[in-house]
Amino acid sequence: MRSAVILAGGNSRRLGAEKSLLEFEERPLICWTAEKLSWAADEIVVVARDEAHARRLEEIIAGSAPELKIEQKIIFTWDSVAGYGPVAGLCAGMKRAHGIFAFATGCDLPFLNPQVVERLFDLADERGGYEAAVPVQPNGFFEPLHSVYHREKMLLACEEAIKKAERRIHAPLQKLVVNRVSVELLLPLDHDLLTFFNLNTGEDLERAKALWPDHRTKQSRT
């Protein structure tokens, strides 16, 4: 089984709206993310801020993407520790997931590419001696929220990071054997590498809307 964890509990001051509920092409972003991941994973874990937020996201997905509730097992949970951002979110998500490996991402990637996700699962295979597959940009920047992790080992690493008051997501990565995947290896699957395009500002949102028609045309041809 392959799992996917969506961190949906964060707020965005720069964007001026809650990312998971942000409307993009007439659907909330959380629905786009869940739909894309349903093509690459056997189960999806959505991590919210708290229980009330989790129930709200469940209602939204049920209303905007009912087919996912029928065809895909979706689990809703929430951060157990406040103030630890993605580390706490990953901890909660890995705890509820069931797969040996789990893809982890935010809810703000409208061009998330399922083929890239599948490739990262292959590159994280423990038979190769790895416990994670993390894309790396040409400038050396890691993409920890577009990565596949050995679920149990990442869970333990996040729990240890929280105990040590480590809030940066790179802290648990230090505990894993990471396959550092150059993004250039993913170009055959995503020529523009838009899968990494995330929404942080209003300008990002406007650019995404401008890119969408061409992206949708290319997707319909594949």
Side-chain angles (χ1 to χ4, degrees), residues 51-212:
E51 185 174 2
H53 188 227
R55 300 293 168 253
R56 174 62 176 148
L57 293 179
E58 185 173 9
E59 291 173 0
I60 287 171
I61 290 177
S64 300
E67 69 280 2
L68 294 178
K69 291 293 289 180
I70 297 172
E71 299 174 3
Q72 187 80 20
K73 182 178 181 182
I74 302 184
I75 300 168
F76 294 85
T77 187
W78 51 90
D79 292 354
S80 57
V81 183
Y84 278 80
V87 175
L90 286 172
C91 187
M94 298 295 166
K95 188 174 294 184
R96 289 298 306 276
H98 298 89
I100 295 176
F101 283 88
F103 177 78
T105 188
C107 61
D108 60 345
L109 284 75
F111 305 107
L112 186 64
N113 189 315
Q115 290 180 302
V116 170
V117 176
E118 290 176 342
R119 181 62 176 142
L120 290 172
F121 271 113
D122 294 337
L123 293 170
D125 196 320
E126 60 186 344
R127 289 174 295 182
Y130 293 111
E131 299 166 348
V134 180
V136 182
Q137 297 286 352
N139 62 1
F141 179 80
F142 277 47
E143 297 282 357
L145 290 183
H146 197 300
S147 301
V148 170
Y149 301 104
H150 188 284
R151 185 187 63 80
E152 290 186 357
K153 292 178 180 178
M154 187 58 166
L155 172 59
L156 291 174
C158 287
E159 290 177 336
E160 182 177 343
I162 291 172
K163 287 179 181 178
K164 294 182 177 180
E166 291 277 3
R167 290 174 167 78
R168 298 179 68 248
I169 194 171
H170 290 282
L173 288 184
Q174 308 305 312
K175 304 295 181 181
L176 304 180
V177 180
V178 176
N179 184 0
R180 303 183 181 191
V181 181
S182 170
V183 296
E184 294 179 356
L185 296 177
L186 305 173
L187 282 170
L189 302 173
D190 188 344
H191 298 301
D192 300 312
L193 294 178
L194 284 177
T195 190
F196 298 108
F197 187 106
N198 63 339
L199 304 181
N200 290 313
T201 66
E203 289 76 15
D204 292 336
L205 178 59
E206 292 307 312
R207 184 184 171 211
K209 289 179 177 179
L211 290 169
W212 182 256

Side-chain angles (χ1 to χ4, degrees), residues 2-13:
R2 289 179 168 180
S3 301
V5 174
I6 304 173
L7 304 188
N11 289 310
S12 176
R13 294 187 181 90

